Amino acid sequence: SAGRLFASFLIVGGLGTAIYTFTRLGQALLEGELLGVLGRRRMNREVHKLTSHHIICGFGRIGAPVAEGLEEEGQAFCILDNDLQSEPDLRARGYLYLIGDALDESVLASAQIDKAKVLMALLPSDADNLLLTIIAKELNPNLMVIARASDEKIEPRLKRGGADKVVSPYKLTSGRVLQAAVKPTVLEFLELVSHREHLPLRLEEITVLDTSALEGLTINESEIRNRFGVVIIAIKQPDGAMVFNPEPDQKILAGYILVVIGKSEDLKRLEADCCTS
């Protein structure tokens, strides 16, 4: 009798423990899934508010550093990626993102492509980047598309498909390796001005508006070097022509883009002067 009583308690206790364990596991799974659904809805609402933003398609070895750079620059952006495994990393970084296929027009519409300023096609496949470029230009003809190309042969096709800029990671890498070998000081300088953490010096592009106090003045008359402590390296004209190392009598006109180098605070003062009268 004592053995039967002990076995009964053991069976009841074991069954109760099993039921409790499975209940807690189910509850945890349900809560996690519910939190995921609610989190994605909130993310969709935040993405829906974006305007004049950047869309990064592909959060890989290139997309991740690009997102970091945009965040440092204070630029609005969202990321499109179809890999669910990247979601925890995206969430931990605090980025706005959508999990889905960037080649799906509905996903691009959810990313507010009609209001976006730049789309970066950084998918692993050149064929996918070409198709994405065509779709993006159809949805927003005014969108600037920057496409990644692994194969040199695909570059002209991407441009014919509507890509404004085509970037080849392998070309860039080989160029930096060559500079490191034959012109290490030049490479060191470029690295210093392209990374904020190294030096206060930065390369910046500033657009001259028609309301600017500098509009119509020559470089010499504007006294940009003396007033702001920055150096004009080049001027891009509205027709796309680039004037390198412009002469002192070069006029600064509305629509010109000044490529300048200087300290962050000096660049901000120059930008304010180019945008206001």
Side-chain angles (χ1 to χ4, degrees), residues 100-232:
D101 188 358
L103 300 177
D104 189 335
E105 293 188 16
S106 63
V107 175
L108 291 172
S110 298
Q112 306 300 303
I113 190 172
D114 58 323
K115 302 177 184 176
K117 178 170 61 175
V118 179
L119 181 138
M120 304 176 194
L122 306 178
L123 303 177
S125 167
D126 287 344
D128 288 343
N129 286 326
L130 176 56
L131 180 57
L132 175 58
T133 298
I134 296 172
I135 295 173
K137 281 294 188 178
E138 286 180 351
L139 296 176
N140 184 353
N142 298 321
L143 183 70
M144 179 180 182
V145 176
I146 303 173
R148 168 192 172 180
S150 301
D151 189 349
E152 292 183 5
K153 297 178 182 178
I154 201 69
E155 290 189 32
R157 297 179 184 176
L158 283 166
K159 290 181 178 179
R160 288 198 300 267
D164 299 279
K165 300 287 183 181
V166 179
V167 179
S168 174
Y170 301 107
K171 271 189 176 180
L172 294 175
T173 303
S174 61
R176 294 178 77 86
V177 171
L178 178 62
Q179 284 185 330
V182 299
K183 299 177 181 179
T185 305
V186 173
L187 179 60
E188 183 180 1
F189 171 76
L190 292 174
E191 289 179 343
L192 287 174
V193 298
S194 62
H195 293 84
R196 286 186 171 187
E197 64 271 17
H198 292 154
L199 273 183
L201 287 180
R202 290 179 53 203
L203 278 170
E204 190 63 84
E205 58 177 63
I206 299 174
T207 303
V208 180
L209 302 183
D210 54 5
T211 57
S212 171
L214 302 178
E215 205 277 332
L217 301 179
T218 65
I219 293 178
N220 192 34
E221 292 170 341
S222 67
E223 297 185 334
I224 287 178
R225 178 69 181 272
N226 295 331
R227 292 173 56 197
F228 303 99
V230 303
V231 178
I232 299 178

Side-chain angles (χ1 to χ4, degrees), residues 80-91:
L80 300 184
D81 199 277
N82 62 354
D83 187 2
L84 282 171
Q85 295 182 353
S86 64
E87 186 172 14
D89 187 20
L90 290 167
R91 190 186 300 117

